[in-house]
Amino acid sequence: MSTGKLLHHHAEHADSGGTLNHPRAYEIVSAIAFAGGRRYTFTRLAALAKPRAGDRILDVGCGTGYLTRVLAPVVTPAGHVTGLDPSPSMIEYALGRAPGNCDYTVGRAQDLPFPDGSFDTVVSSLALHHIPADARQETMREMFRVLRPGGRLLVADLRPPANALARRLGELLLRHHGHDVLGTLVPDAGFRVEAEGELPPRLRYVQAVRPEAGLA
């Protein structure tokens, strides 16, 4: 099975609400899907988020907490990383492996349980395609809300296949797990997009900033 198929196979085994509930299976499938390069890819994602010592970072759709654990030493004990996921079993797994400057909470991306301006950075990786299409824009608005003005956003998800036929087949077969889940979501929520790019095995990312007041 190819890397792309493994990633989609994983997506199709979410429950009807898009929630993944088997953390150990998730870890196994992820290790296979990234062909031994998971650490490299998530280290690159962490670097693209531009974390700094003392930062407060939120990982939306954190799953087993893999990216939070990569970010934790970079923000140092003076900073803090919070992971959010709708699956209690994923959060329980992440809590069992949490560094001292990480915490985790069960919650929905489209209804973040945090005050306005709570974080310096919001990250999200391979999570948006699990969120129903009609809730994705609200999810992005919530990420905007909990960021402080000038705060940074990094969102990564599956990129669409280059082949038009393969892209169309994927849309027909996956339906609510649509391929191109970033599209105009980021700028439409008020963010200023700074860069876009790709990472192996088949990820697309967007770096953006919540504008300072009066600088939108």
Side-chain angles (χ1 to χ4, degrees):
M1 189 179 291
S2 70
T3 297
K5 288 180 180 177
L6 275 167
L7 288 170
H8 290 313
H9 174 79
H10 183 207
E12 289 168 341
H13 281 75
D15 69 18
S16 59
T19 303
L20 300 173
N21 293 306
H22 305 285
R24 288 176 177 79
Y26 176 95
E27 289 292 284
I28 293 169
V29 172
S30 293
I32 297 170
F34 283 94
R38 187 185 186 194
R39 183 75 186 184
Y40 168 81
T41 299
F42 278 82
T43 298
R44 288 285 308 278
L45 286 173
L48 289 166
K50 300 181 180 180
R52 299 169 297 194
D55 275 357
R56 301 157 300 162
I57 299 180
L58 172 65
D59 183 2
V60 177
C62 67
T64 57
Y66 193 92
L67 182 56
T68 65
R69 294 193 295 274
V70 175
L71 288 163
V74 185
V75 301
T76 74
H80 199 85
V81 184
T82 297
L84 175 135
D85 199 272
S87 168
S89 59
M90 288 291 194
I91 292 300
E92 181 180 5
Y93 186 97
L95 283 168
R97 291 152 182 80
N101 62 341
C102 285
D103 68 358
Y104 300 91
T105 187
V106 176
R108 301 191 313 155
Q110 58 268 46
D111 186 22
L112 296 176
F114 308 107
D116 297 356
S118 300
F119 299 97
D120 300 294
T121 302
V122 172
V123 299
S124 182
S125 61
L126 289 169
L128 276 177
H129 69 273
H130 291 297
I131 296 170
D134 60 1
R136 290 173 188 162
Q137 192 62 69
E138 184 60 32
T139 293
M140 204 59 60
R141 285 194 290 264
E142 279 290 275
M143 292 182 186
F144 185 94
R145 180 184 65 79
V146 301
L147 266 177
R148 64 167 175 79
R152 299 176 300 281
L153 174 77
L154 176 73
V155 184
D157 218 300
L158 299 174
R159 63 175 170 80
N163 180 278
L165 178 58
R167 184 164 59 248
R168 181 55 180 158
L169 285 172
E171 290 169 355
L172 290 172
L173 292 172
L174 295 174
R175 297 185 185 92
H176 63 288
H177 295 301
H179 281 84
D180 189 1
V181 297
L182 294 179
T184 60
L185 287 176
V186 177
D188 283 355
F191 289 101
R192 183 178 71 246
V193 174
E194 295 200 321
E196 299 181 47
E198 296 180 0
L199 287 173
R202 198 159 62 76
L203 301 186
R204 175 187 172 199
Y205 68 82
V206 174
Q207 293 170 293
V209 172
R210 174 176 173 170
E212 301 276 3
L215 297 178

